[in-house]
């Protein structure tokens, strides 16, 4: 079986192009020490996008059955209520949260149409070990040694 010169040149050319593109990709990729977005940032973006999409989708549903001239008002009202509800999730603790700080939050069942309510919260502190108490429901802690 004889391999043609054209085939050899075509395969070598394709290999050179592929290798060049690979090297170009590596040269332009962020280094591990570069402050580019990492996997945690990616998933945070996915969660934020999902929440925004859920809100927008439900707002569109809220006005879907109305005549076109009334949809905008219904969607704006829904969006305002959605934001108010999102903020109300912190009811009883307004102003007492520290952002970008880990918290342990315990939920309890709600009443009526409310599925959950915040039962308790604990801001994590440095130098403390946290663990589930023997009762299986409470948070225990002890100083870190």
């Amino acid at each position: 079986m004889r391999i043609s010169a054209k085939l050899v040149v075509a395969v070598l050319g394709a290999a050179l192009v592929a290798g060049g593109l690979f090297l170009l990709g590596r040269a332009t990729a962020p280094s591990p020490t570069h402050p580019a977005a990492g996997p945690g940032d990616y998933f945070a973006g996915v969660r934020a996008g999902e929440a925004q999409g859920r809100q927008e989708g439900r707002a569109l549903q809220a006005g879907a059955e109305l005549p076109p001239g009334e949809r905008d008002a219904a969607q704006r009202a829904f969006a305002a209520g959605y934001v108010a509800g999102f903020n109300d999730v912190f009811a009883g603790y307004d102003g007492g949260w520290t952002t970008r700080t880990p918290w342990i939050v315990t939920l309890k069942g709600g009443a009526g149409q409310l599925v959950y309510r915040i039962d308790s919260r604990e801001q994590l502190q440095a130098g403390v070990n946290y663990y589930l108490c023997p009762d299986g429901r409470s948070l225990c802690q002890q100083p870190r040694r």
Side-chain angles (χ1 to χ4, degrees):
M1 174 178 212
R2 182 172 156 97
I3 299 175
S4 74
K6 287 183 182 180
L7 180 60
V8 170
V9 169
V11 169
L12 286 175
L16 286 173
V17 168
L21 290 174
F22 173 79
L23 292 175
L24 178 64
R26 294 303 307 148
T28 59
S31 68
T33 59
H34 188 273
D41 296 328
Y42 169 79
F43 290 113
V46 168
R47 284 190 300 273
E50 180 181 19
Q52 182 180 356
R54 186 180 307 114
Q55 177 184 355
E56 290 175 7
R58 289 181 179 163
L60 291 172
Q61 286 175 325
E65 299 297 322
L66 298 173
E70 298 174 20
R71 289 180 186 161
D72 286 343
Q75 290 168 355
R76 282 194 307 275
F78 179 88
Y82 194 93
V83 169
F86 199 82
N87 287 327
D88 284 346
V89 88
F90 299 105
Y93 296 107
D94 291 345
W97 295 91
T98 305
T99 58
R100 306 205 50 86
T101 302
W103 290 84
I104 294 176
V105 177
T106 304
L107 301 177
K108 66 180 178 181
Q113 293 181 340
L114 299 176
V115 179
Y116 301 109
R117 294 182 55 107
I118 295 175
D119 186 40
S120 65
R121 67 181 183 150
E122 180 78 27
Q123 185 177 4
L124 297 182
Q125 302 295 322
V128 177
N129 285 329
Y130 297 89
Y131 58 96
L132 189 60
C133 295
D135 67 7
R137 302 183 64 76
S138 305
L139 179 66
C140 286
Q141 50 188 296
Q142 65 184 21
R144 188 168 293 148
R145 299 176 206 174

